[in-house]
Amino acid sequence: MNITMKFGGTSVGSAQAIENVVQIVQEAVSAGHQVAVVVSAMSGVTDMLLNSVQAAVKGDKWGFIQLNNEIRDKHTNALHELMPAGRNRDDILGQLDAMLRKHQDLCEAISILGEATPRIMDAIVSYGERMSSRMVAAVMADRGLHAQALDASQYIITNDDHQNAEPLWLETAERIHSHLRPIVESGVVPVLTGFIGAARSGAVTTLGRGGSDFSASIFAAYLNSDELIIWTDVDGVMTTDPRLDRRAKVLPYVSYAEVGELAFYGAKVLHPKTVQPIIQKKIPLRVRNTFNPRHPGTLIGAETQDTGHFIRAVTCVRKVSMLTVSGKGMLGVPGIAGRTFLATARAGASILMISQSSSEQSFCFTVVDQKAQAVKEMVEQELAAEIARQDVDSVDVMGEVAIVTVVGAGMRHRPGVAGKVFSIMGNNNVNVLSIAQGSSECSISFVVDERDIPVAVERLHDLALEAAQAEPSRA
Ligand code: ADP
Ligand code: ASP
Ligand code: MG
C-alpha cells in the first residue's frame, strides 16, 4: 500500500514523540508499505515565529533574539536526545543553525522597516516546518530508514494569497505526480513540510493555521495513496472537544460530509479543507494517536452511516460576532444580502453562518470578532444610500457570542431534530440568537451567548454520548 502519514505539532514536539513517529513509520515500511510523511512544526514553534515578527515590528530586538534562542533550544535539545554525537548530528545542527540565522536576519530587516508584509510573515513561519522536517528526516536516517527531507514549496503551487493560500490544482497535481511520486516509488520516505507551498513567483506561501492536514491530503490525493493517516494527540475524532467535555468519546466512523461540518465549525482535530482533495478519489482517512498507536482511531470515508441517532458530535466556535442587517424598507428589495456579503468579503472576512428571518426584514451573519468592526464599516458604506433613506438601519454588532453546531448524517430527512435541539436549549435557559442549517443537511448551527457555551455543549453532548454508546465498534 501507499500511505501518506501526517504528524502534527505535538507528535513532533519532543524527543519522545519523535521516537514514536520513527517507530510508526518503521513499522509501516517493514510491513512493505510505501510511506510519505508530512510534518508540522514542533508544537509552539509557529506561534513563537509569529511572536518574533510582532517583536521585530515593535523594534524589540531582544524579544526576537530570545524567541530565536528558544526555537534553537527546542530543536537542539531534541536532537541531542535522539542522535549520538558525530558528523550526522553536526550536519543537521548546522542546517538548523543556517535557518535560524536567516530567521534572525529577516527579523532585523522587519525591525528596520517597522512593518511586516504577509509575504515576509510566510517566509518566517515556514522555518517551523522546514526545521522539523529536516530534524525528523535526520533521526529517521539515523535509525536506518531511507528518509529525505523535502520542502513542499517544490510541489504545492498556490495563488499569492499569503497566509491563506489556495493551491493551483493542476500545477500541483503535475508536480507531485512527476517529481514526488518517483521518489516514493523508489522506496525513499520523503519527510515533507506541512503548511507551506509556493506562489508561481517562487515566494513561500502558507495554507492557513492548522494547514498541515490540508497539505497531507493534497499529497495523498496526487500520490494516489491508498490511505491518509493524520497522527495527532487524541485517539480520533470525538463526540466533542475533550477540552470542552471530558466525557468525549472517539467515533469509530465518520463520513467526509460529517467531518467537513465538524472541522468547519470548530473541531480543531482536522483543518476544514482536509477532506477536499481526497473526496473524489474516496481515499480513506484515519485519525490516530501518535501516543497510543494501538488504538484504531477514527475512519473517515464516503459512505454515510445512518446510525438512527441524529446527533453524533457537538462543536463550538468562540470569539465570533453576530452582525444584523435590518430595516422596514428591506422587504422585497433584491440584492441587499448579496451586496452585504460582497462588502464582507471586501473587508477580508469569511462568513461562518447566515440566517434570515422569513419576514425578509432582517438577516444576520457571523464573522470572527477581529473582523467585526471592519465588516460593519464596509457594509454601512455599501448600504449608505439605503441607510440615509432609512430603509435599512445601521448594522448591529453583537460580540461575545459563539456558534454551537450539532452534526450527524442521520438528521437528514428526519423531522423534529431542530425542535428537539431547541427545546433542550429552552429547558436549560439558553437563549438562541439565530439558527442555520448546513447545506449538506447533516448539521444545525446556532448562535448563543459565550456564557451559555458549557450548558449548551454539555446538554447536546449528552445526546451524542447516548448515540456513541449505541454504535457498533468498527476498526
Ligand atoms: P495537531 O497538532 O496534531 O494538528 P491539533 O491540536 O491541531 O493537533 O488538533 C488536535 C486537538 O483537537 C485535540 O488535542 C483536541 O483537543 C482538539 N479537538 C477539538 N475538537 C475535537 C474533536 N471533536 N475530536 C477530537 N479532538 C478535538
Ligand atoms: N504549524 C502550523 C500551525 O501551527 C500548521 C499546522 O500545525 O498544521 O498552524
Ligand atoms: Mg492541527
Side-chain angles (χ1 to χ4, degrees):
M1 281 217 298
N2 174 309
I3 309 175
T4 297
M5 294 187 178
K6 176 259 173 177
F7 295 92
T10 331
S11 302
V12 294
S14 66
Q16 184 53 51
I18 295 172
E19 203 70 78
N20 292 0
V21 170
V22 176
Q23 209 170 338
I24 288 166
V25 174
Q26 248 165 351
E27 271 176 30
V29 170
S30 307
H33 302 308
Q34 287 174 351
V35 182
V37 171
V38 178
V39 290
S40 292
M42 292 182 90
S43 51
V45 168
T46 304
D47 285 333
M48 287 188 229
L49 289 165
L50 287 168
N51 291 342
S52 72
V53 176
Q54 296 312 325
V57 168
K58 285 189 277 183
D60 174 10
K61 183 164 179 168
W62 294 117
F64 66 73
I65 289 183
Q66 208 172 343
L67 285 159
N68 182 285
N69 285 335
E70 268 178 56
I71 297 169
R72 180 188 307 272
D73 289 349
K74 206 168 160 79
H75 290 83
T76 314
N77 292 344
L79 274 168
H80 278 120
E81 259 188 72
L82 287 161
M83 283 176 81
R87 218 182 62 189
N88 291 346
R89 192 170 82 183
D90 291 344
D91 185 41
I92 174 71
L93 287 171
Q95 289 180 43
L96 299 186
D97 191 54
M99 291 197 211
L100 285 159
R101 262 183 285 132
K102 281 194 192 146
H103 165 248
Q104 198 164 321
D105 290 346
L106 286 171
C107 287
E108 302 270 5
I110 291 171
S111 72
I112 292 167
L113 291 169
E115 64 171 350
T117 59
R119 179 178 165 148
I120 204 162
M121 285 174 82
D122 273 352
I124 287 189
V125 285
S126 75
Y127 285 117
E129 270 70 11
R130 288 159 76 182
M131 287 194 281
S132 69
S133 64
R134 277 151 183 88
M135 177 175 69
V136 170
V139 178
M140 283 183 178
D142 183 65
R143 305 294 151 89
L145 275 163
H146 204 7
Q148 189 183 350
L150 291 169
D151 273 8
S153 50
Q154 297 180 67
Y155 308 108
I156 297 183
I157 308 304
T158 69
N159 62 10
D160 52 13
D161 189 5
H162 285 279
Q163 301 189 293
N164 197 22
E166 270 295 324
L168 302 175
W169 296 106
L170 291 177
E171 287 166 63
T172 299
E174 216 294 302
R175 295 239 188 159
I176 295 176
H177 195 84
S178 342
H179 303 303
L180 183 60
R181 212 169 148 175
I183 298 179
V184 179
E185 282 170 355
S186 74
V188 170
V189 176
V191 183
L192 295 145
T193 54
F195 189 42
I196 69 179
R200 282 189 182 133
S201 64
V204 177
T205 53
T206 58
L207 308 177
R209 290 306 305 266
S212 295
D213 300 329
F214 186 32
S215 311
S217 176
I218 297 168
F219 285 117
Y222 298 119
L223 286 171
N224 267 329
S225 292
D226 299 291
E227 193 168 283
L228 165 62
I229 310 180
I230 303 281
W231 290 92
T232 182
D233 59 0
V234 282
D235 284 338
V237 177
M238 302 174 110
T239 47
T240 196
D241 185 345
R243 286 172 300 191
L244 278 178
D245 189 337
R246 287 169 57 192
R247 299 173 301 162
K249 285 213 154 38
V250 176
L251 292 161
Y253 179 83
V254 185
S255 67
Y256 291 141
E258 287 171 320
V259 96
E261 297 290 306
L262 278 168
F264 185 79
Y265 285 112
K268 191 188 167 212
V269 64
L270 288 177
H271 185 274
K273 291 181 186 162
T274 311
V275 292
Q276 229 181 55
I278 55 170
I279 277 189
Q280 220 177 359
K281 295 188 175 169
K282 297 199 176 137
I283 297 173
L285 161 61
R286 279 181 197 274
V287 177
R288 300 186 61 183
N289 192 345
T290 309
F291 305 91
N292 187 17
R294 302 276 154 254
H295 196 290
T298 299
L299 173 64
I300 298 160
E303 174 198 336
T304 43
Q305 218 179 36
D306 189 347
T307 54
H309 292 269
F310 57 82
I311 293 182
R312 302 193 63 218
V314 186
T315 62
C316 149
V317 191
R318 292 163 193 272
K319 298 196 169 69
V320 294
S321 293
M322 185 171 85
L323 284 82
T324 306
V325 177
S326 58
K328 292 192 187 54
M330 276 171 54
L331 189 70
V333 179
I336 295 211
R339 282 163 57 204
T340 300
F341 301 146
L342 283 175
T344 304
R346 280 203 300 280
S350 304
I351 294 177
L352 295 164
M353 181 186 139
I354 302 173
S355 97
Q356 178 166 29
S357 68
S358 54
S359 71
E360 269 195 77
Q361 290 193 18
S362 76
F363 59 87
C364 53
F365 58 101
T366 23
V367 299
V368 293
D369 274 341
Q370 293 143 322
K371 300 278 183 184
Q373 199 50 35
V375 171
K376 174 183 161 69
E377 282 163 23
M378 197 62 91
V379 173
E380 285 178 349
Q381 198 178 321
E382 172 66 37
L383 302 178
E386 285 81 0
I387 293 173
R389 287 201 302 271
Q390 296 187 342
D391 283 342
V392 174
D393 305 328
S394 55
V395 177
D396 181 63
V397 179
M398 186 187 270
E400 291 175 15
V401 296
I403 303 176
V404 175
T405 302
V406 289
V407 177
M411 67 177 68
R412 189 176 288 173
H413 314 307
R414 188 164 288 138
V417 176
K420 182 150 187 182
V421 167
F422 297 118
S423 59
I424 292 174
M425 293 301 97
N427 294 340
N428 287 280
N429 291 323
V430 173
N431 187 20
V432 174
L433 302 166
S434 81
I435 303 170
Q437 177 156 33
S439 56
S440 60
E441 276 187 70
C442 69
S443 73
I444 296 174
S445 297
F446 54 96
V447 176
V448 298
D449 195 292
E450 277 224 341
R451 280 181 316 215
D452 289 328
I453 294 174
V455 181
V457 169
E458 278 174 35
R459 293 295 69 83
L460 293 169
H461 189 214
D462 291 341
L463 297 183
L465 284 174
E466 254 172 52
Q469 220 99 53
E471 269 187 41
S473 66
R474 154 177 183 167

